[in-house]
Amino acid sequence: MPEIVNFTPLSALAGGVVIGLAASLLWLLGGRTAGVSGILGGVVPPLRAGWEWRALFLGGLLAGGLLLQFLAPARLEIPPRSLPLLAIAGLLVGFGTRLAGGCTSGHGVCGLARLSRRSLLATVVFMVVAMITVTLLRLGGVGAA
Amino acid sequence: MKPGPLAFICGLLFALGLGLSGMTQPSKVLGFLDVLGAWDPSLALVMAGAIAVHLPLSRLRRRVSQAPADEIGCAADDGDADGTGTSIDRRLVIGAALFGVGWGMSGYCPGPAIVSLANGASGVFVFVGAMLVGVALYRRTVR
């Protein structure tokens, strides 16, 4: 039986609701999807039409980060993994999310909420693969925190 | 409303939601992904909360306007005009698998990593820098 640790249901649920509200505002008032990897892809050269609103969304993310760092610095952690591991992981996340056309926000939240079959498949694949990766790393001596 | 100011406000709100939820804490993300070890189930509730809000609200738009059909099938790319990524194919599965490996190695997906730049940790900058290289590599090689 797996052991349950560090369970924080209320803040997780409340945070999820705020994420859902942000995505809904952008969709209802702006007609845009709050998929962070897609938004990031739109500001990497060569620039395409619509890079301006994407840059502003990313600016909002950075401003929100600064606010968090000021109000609740413990929420922004020092990554518990080595720099080489983080570098390889970043490459895989950047390339993989563009190939899949979305990440946790685009597929995992917006796509699932809009009942996209593509997003359901992508979400199941990246969740299961990430779980296998964490398990293998733990067995190989790289702990989960 | 023009997408500009709205996009900034939504990005800010999105970041606060990520921070409140625990998604910007790799220790919690990795704890959630470690289902066979000491498991922290919290982040399942992040997705549940976000979907519980976005599922009904996103439907308001589809009822009042005629959104193109592929906007649903193409979650993150619906701003793109070239219509890539509208079907279930090998790219979707391979891309999601590569992302899964990177997410499991680091505990970061794109949004939380960008938000975490504010703490100035070298590891976050290395991750985000490499992520941008990965995106650029995709733009150079695939499309």
Side-chain angles (χ1 to χ4, degrees), chain A residues 2 25 37 40 45 54 70 73 75-76 95 99 112 121 125:
Chain A
L25 275 176
S37 62
L40 193 66
R54 292 183 170 91
F70 184 68
R75 293 288 177 171
L76 305 184
F95 190 86
L99 195 61
L112 282 191
L121 178 63
V125 170

Side-chain angles (χ1 to χ4, degrees), chain A residues 8-100:
Chain A
T8 52
L10 286 182
S11 60
L13 200 60
V17 166
V18 174
I19 292 167
L21 282 174
S24 298
L25 275 176
L26 190 66
W27 176 241
L28 290 176
L29 301 180
R32 311 283 184 218
T33 296
V36 177
S37 62
I39 289 172
L40 193 66
V43 300
V44 172
L47 292 176
R48 284 183 304 223
W51 66 270
E52 296 93 342
W53 78 264
R54 292 183 170 91
L56 282 162
F57 183 90
L58 294 172
L61 284 185
L62 291 171
L66 289 171
L67 211 57
L68 284 167
Q69 177 65 14
F70 184 68
L71 296 173
R75 293 288 177 171
L76 305 184
E77 282 181 1
I78 308 293
R81 291 283 161 89
S82 70
L83 295 185
L85 211 59
L86 289 167
I88 299 166
L91 273 175
L92 290 170
V93 169
F95 190 86
T97 53
R98 294 318 303 130
L99 195 61

Side-chain angles (χ1 to χ4, degrees), chain A residues 3-6 8 16 24 27 33 41 44 46 60 75-77 81 87 90 96 98 101 104 106 114-116 118 126 138, chain B residues 19 24-28 34 39 42 50 54 58-59 71-73 75-78 85 87 95-96 105 109 119 130-131 139:
Chain A
E3 174 199 358
I4 304 270
V5 294
N6 304 327
T8 52
S24 298
W27 176 241
T33 296
V44 172
R75 293 288 177 171
L76 305 184
E77 282 181 1
R81 291 283 161 89
R98 294 318 303 130
T104 0
R114 296 182 215 155
L115 310 178
S116 155
R118 262 173 65 76
F126 69 65
R138 176 165 48 78
Chain B
T24 52
Q25 295 165 264
S27 64
K28 281 197 84 67
D34 196 11
W39 190 43
S42 311
H54 196 55
S58 64
R59 300 203 152 218
E71 283 193 11
I72 285 287
D77 278 345
D78 60 11
S87 63
M105 284 172 73
C109 51
N119 78 354
M131 181 168 75
R139 296 293 299 278

Side-chain angles (χ1 to χ4, degrees), chain B residues 37-124:
Chain B
W39 190 43
D40 175 357
S42 311
L43 298 193
L45 291 169
V46 181
M47 197 176 261
I51 292 174
V53 169
H54 196 55
L55 194 149
L57 286 182
S58 64
R59 300 203 152 218
L60 295 175
R61 179 179 178 87
R62 294 186 62 74
R63 214 169 292 156
V64 294
S65 72
Q66 301 282 320
D70 67 343
E71 283 193 11
I72 285 287
C74 185
D77 278 345
D78 60 11
D80 292 355
D82 58 6
T84 50
T86 52
S87 63
I88 289 187
D89 55 17
R90 223 176 342 168
R91 288 170 44 133
L92 180 78
V93 176
I94 294 172
L98 293 175
F99 166 43
V101 173
W103 193 31
M105 284 172 73
S106 62
Y108 282 125
C109 51
I114 293 167
V115 172
S116 298
L117 285 170
N119 78 354
S122 55
V124 181

